[in-house]
Amino acid sequence: MNFNCVAECLDCGNRALYTPISPGCPECGSLWREARYDYPDLGRSLPEWVRDRPFDMWRYRELLPILKPLPSLSMGEGGTPLIKADNFGMMLGCTNLYIKDERQNPTSSFKDRQAALGVVALKEAGINEMVIASTGNVAIAYSAHAARAGIKVWAFLTSLVPPEKMREVAIYGAQVVKVTASYDQVKKVAAEFARQRNIYLEAGARTIPSVESMKTIAFEISEQLTELSSNNVKGKDNVRQNWRTPDWYFQSVSGGLGPLGVQKGFMELLQMGLTDRLPGMAIIQAEGCSPMVTAWKKGLDIAEPITSPRTHITTLATGDPGRTYSLLAQRIRSSGGGLFESVTDEETFRTIHILAKMEGLSIEPAAAVSFAGLIKLVRAGAIDPADTIVINCTGHTMPIEKMILGDGWSKNVAVTKSSVMETPQEGLLSAFNRISSDRYPKILVVDDVPDARRLIRRIFQSQGDFSIVEASNGREAIDLARLEQPNLIILDLMMPEIDGFGVLDVLKANPETAQIPVIVVTAKELTGEENELLRGRIHSLMQKGHFLSDEFMEEINTLVG
């Protein structure tokens, strides 16, 4: 393996070389080991080394547990874009919100990093067959990368994994074993299969390459934020020694491998002297299977397993995160920043629509959980809107048609009834219990700021099929209200020529427009006299930068009654 890398046992502290053939500690046998490097030396050299390398995960090769990358196996993993979320950020009042778009990896998820590094490590060790248990994306990624490397994959999947994901695993030639059981039980079945046949087992957070692959996300984010800031600095050096970190990093989790690795990456940047602080880690779970969140809020060091997950987001249904939670919680507490939170399936599905219609991003439910978590935490006041926030958009997979595979592409295994996971209840509430566009088909938005009009338009578009009419000043608003006869008016107060107060005076004096409901949305702090001028003439008053899309729509929804 990498001559700069040694594996340190988290139980006895022993340091030794790592190889996939002998993953355990030679001193005590523990499988919980982590890679360590010469951080002071790498901190002096890394910025210069990476300067002219391609922007992918292999640019950090000296901090990976392999001898060298194998370009012939690479499919372009890593180097994903960091997208400024202007519309979503404006909706939340967060001015520095970025999305790390991991959908741009070869199989459309961040698990490509794990598979790419894992496959190279296996090739170097001469291993040509492996077993993996998965809820979807990691099996897809490993099957693709292993196919390129000529490695046979046995993919054990719970029967609750969406069939589209199972078919995608199969199309790469992996042997799919569909197990009627919970994911935690599937892991046990896979481990026993690997033991009996003496086949290499990919063990997630206990597998050094898996953890190391995820830290490349942290390295890339820091480089990208640094580049964004240096673009605004005249006379910048060609090589910057000080890299930036966000104030918050958000990720949805199942077992917790992703944030464990990302957290390690940020810690290594600090150890190398390339950054001066750690970001807060916001770890978000589906409410129907959130053992980490429950343990965190109870102040526990060990998560209590959930034996019957009750979420339709099956790819996040890991009921027993084991030691991964303990490590994450311990490191978050010692770093002084971070939290665990959960969101409902309904909040998640609603957020999928919001992201698609406001940012043009189509994401899977497992990725949407983190975005829904941000909405929840901003509403609760747990996140400073001025903070720099990065959300990991973990994945979006495309379905594989049944006809491509034919019959017999999977093997079925049934576990005893007593251990089968309880199926989530049917009848999930509609993700959009919102105002009907039939009741308010036409809405007039009045604001002299184009970005504000765009934000309000996109909020309505994310909620239903509304017809939106826009006015950029008070005089235009009066004319359009008379001509278009909208069913609702969203009105800004501070505008040139005729302000919102003047618009209200004219509208209320005209019998044709007097009964149109008006919601005032303004950044102005109103005086007592101004509040009195609005009393009885508007439906409600909302402050710009302090409302979220669902709060806005709930306010409008009261008009339906």
Side-chain angles (χ1 to χ4, degrees):
M1 297 295 106
N2 187 332
F3 67 91
N4 285 317
C5 171
V6 295
E8 180 179 312
C9 179
L10 298 182
D11 291 307
C12 72
N14 174 268
R15 289 194 170 200
L17 292 177
Y18 165 77
T19 171
I21 297 175
S22 302
C25 171
E27 187 69 23
C28 71
S30 172
L31 294 175
W32 287 93
R33 299 199 292 168
E34 281 192 342
R36 302 285 185 253
Y37 306 85
D38 185 343
Y39 297 114
D41 181 62
L42 287 170
R44 290 187 292 269
S45 307
L46 188 67
E48 179 67 33
W49 288 343
V50 303
R51 182 178 59 177
D52 298 320
R53 290 177 180 173
F55 190 65
D56 57 27
M57 64 178 285
W58 306 108
R59 69 195 273 108
Y60 315 109
R61 63 190 65 136
E62 289 81 9
L63 283 155
L64 298 176
I66 56 172
L67 291 173
K68 61 181 180 179
L70 297 177
S72 62
L73 299 183
S74 176
M75 294 192 287
E77 51 280 346
T80 57
L82 189 68
I83 301 170
K84 182 76 178 296
D86 287 326
N87 297 315
F88 188 53
M90 192 187 310
M91 185 193 88
L92 297 174
C94 298
T95 55
N96 298 296
L97 177 60
Y98 297 89
I99 298 171
K100 183 63 171 166
D101 191 5
E102 289 292 288
R103 303 173 313 153
Q104 304 302 318
N105 279 300
T107 68
S108 302
S109 92
F110 76 123
K111 295 296 187 179
D112 278 301
R113 297 174 186 268
Q114 178 182 354
L117 183 58
V119 163
V120 170
L122 294 181
K123 290 293 285 186
E124 288 186 347
I127 296 172
N128 57 18
E129 189 173 8
M130 65 171 292
V131 174
I132 189 166
S134 171
T135 57
N137 285 347
V138 71
I140 292 170
Y142 257 106
S143 297
H145 289 267
R148 193 169 177 83
I151 295 174
K152 178 178 176 58
V153 174
W154 293 85
F156 285 71
L157 303 168
T158 167
S159 57
L160 290 177
V161 169
E164 294 84 3
K165 288 185 180 290
M166 287 194 185
R167 290 196 290 269
E168 188 162 358
V169 175
I171 198 69
Y172 295 117
Q175 177 58 67
V176 175
V177 182
K178 183 167 62 174
V179 185
T180 305
S182 71
Y183 174 52
D184 296 304
Q185 292 163 333
V186 170
K187 288 190 290 186
K188 294 177 182 178
V189 172
E192 180 60 21
F193 179 86
R195 187 191 67 80
Q196 290 185 10
R197 298 203 177 192
N198 194 29
I199 303 174
Y200 172 82
L201 175 69
E202 214 291 343
R206 291 174 296 164
T207 304
I208 281 182
S210 293
V211 176
E212 295 301 280
S213 68
M214 295 302 166
K215 74 185 186 183
T216 61
I217 296 173
F219 297 163
E220 288 180 16
I221 288 171
S222 291
E223 277 205 88
Q224 288 168 316
L225 288 177
T226 303
E227 181 64 23
L228 286 170
S229 63
S230 65
N231 283 340
N232 298 321
V233 179
K234 293 181 179 179
K236 62 175 181 175
D237 296 331
N238 287 331
V239 179
R240 288 180 60 93
Q241 295 297 321
N242 297 317
W243 292 11
R244 286 188 61 201
T245 55
D247 297 300
W248 284 97
Y249 172 82
F250 274 71
Q251 185 173 330
S252 54
V253 302
S254 180
L257 167 65
L260 185 68
V262 171
Q263 187 182 56
K264 185 174 188 286
F266 284 121
M267 290 172 64
E268 289 185 345
L269 289 172
L270 186 63
Q271 289 174 291
M272 288 186 286
L274 296 179
T275 60
D276 58 4
R277 62 191 178 90
L278 297 172
M281 301 289 292
I283 298 171
I284 316 297
Q285 292 195 292
E287 190 174 279
C289 188
S290 54
M292 295 189 192
V293 178
T294 301
W296 176 262
K297 293 185 175 181
K298 288 182 177 180
L300 302 177
D301 293 325
I302 299 174
E304 299 169 340
I306 293 176
T307 56
S308 296
R310 302 186 68 81
T311 174
H312 286 262
I313 309 172
T314 55
T315 51
L316 295 186
T318 298
D320 185 3
R323 191 169 179 177
T324 305
Y325 163 74
S326 302
L327 292 172
L328 281 169
Q330 173 191 353
R331 291 169 185 180
I332 286 175
R333 291 189 184 108
S334 64
S335 68
L339 51 80
F340 292 75
E341 189 53 85
S342 63
V343 293
T344 66
D345 286 8
E346 183 181 359
E347 290 168 329
T348 300
F349 298 149
R350 182 164 64 246
T351 303
I352 290 174
H353 287 267
I354 291 172
L355 262 292
K357 292 167 183 173
M358 297 193 75
E359 292 294 346
L361 299 178
S362 175
I363 63 177
E364 65 179 357
V369 163
S370 59
F371 291 87
L374 175 62
I375 293 174
K376 183 175 183 178
L377 291 168
V378 168
R379 178 189 290 113
I383 303 295
D384 185 340
D387 282 347
T388 298
I389 303 163
V390 174
I391 305 181
N392 186 340
C393 183
T394 52
H396 172 42
T397 56
M398 300 299 177
I400 296 295
E401 295 292 339
K402 290 182 180 179
M403 66 186 71
I404 296 177
L405 293 170
D407 298 325
W409 54 270
S410 70
K411 298 182 183 296
N412 297 329
V413 175
V415 178
T416 58
K417 272 189 176 181
S418 61
S419 61
V420 173
M421 185 177 81
E422 183 180 350
T423 303
Q425 291 181 342
E426 296 298 328
L428 182 70
L429 293 176
S430 168
F432 287 93
N433 182 18
R434 290 294 183 265
I435 177 175
S436 168
S437 56
D438 294 336
R439 179 70 183 271
Y440 290 95
K442 184 180 293 185
I443 298 169
L444 171 60
V445 178
V446 186
D447 201 304
D448 62 322
V449 179
D451 284 346
R453 296 199 304 272
R454 186 182 77 244
L455 169 63
I456 295 172
R457 171 185 283 274
R458 286 181 181 253
I459 288 175
F460 276 109
Q461 289 173 336
S462 72
Q463 305 290 340
D465 186 20
F466 297 92
S467 174
I468 309 296
V469 181
E470 297 183 21
S472 60
N473 57 63
R475 191 173 302 281
E476 187 179 357
I478 293 168
D479 292 340
L480 283 173
R482 291 171 179 159
L483 177 65
E484 299 287 347
Q485 287 293 299
N487 307 102
L488 176 67
I489 297 174
I490 311 297
L491 177 65
D492 183 31
L493 290 181
M494 303 304 293
M495 295 182 292
E497 297 186 41
I498 302 177
D499 63 13
F501 295 102
V503 171
L504 274 173
D505 289 338
V506 175
L507 294 181
K508 295 305 178 182
N510 185 341
E512 294 182 0
T513 57
Q515 300 305 313
I516 301 174
V518 176
I519 290 180
V520 167
V521 178
T522 182
K524 177 179 173 57
E525 292 292 335
L526 301 185
T527 65
E529 182 181 354
E530 288 171 329
N531 273 306
E532 193 61 34
L533 286 173
L534 296 176
R535 190 183 306 277
R537 301 204 298 168
I538 67 171
H539 170 72
S540 63
L541 172 69
M542 303 191 77
Q543 292 292 131
K544 286 182 181 177
H546 296 286
F547 66 87
L548 305 177
S549 68
D550 50 354
E551 292 173 336
F552 188 34
M553 297 307 295
E554 283 166 9
E555 193 68 27
I556 296 168
N557 197 37
T558 62
L559 291 167
V560 175

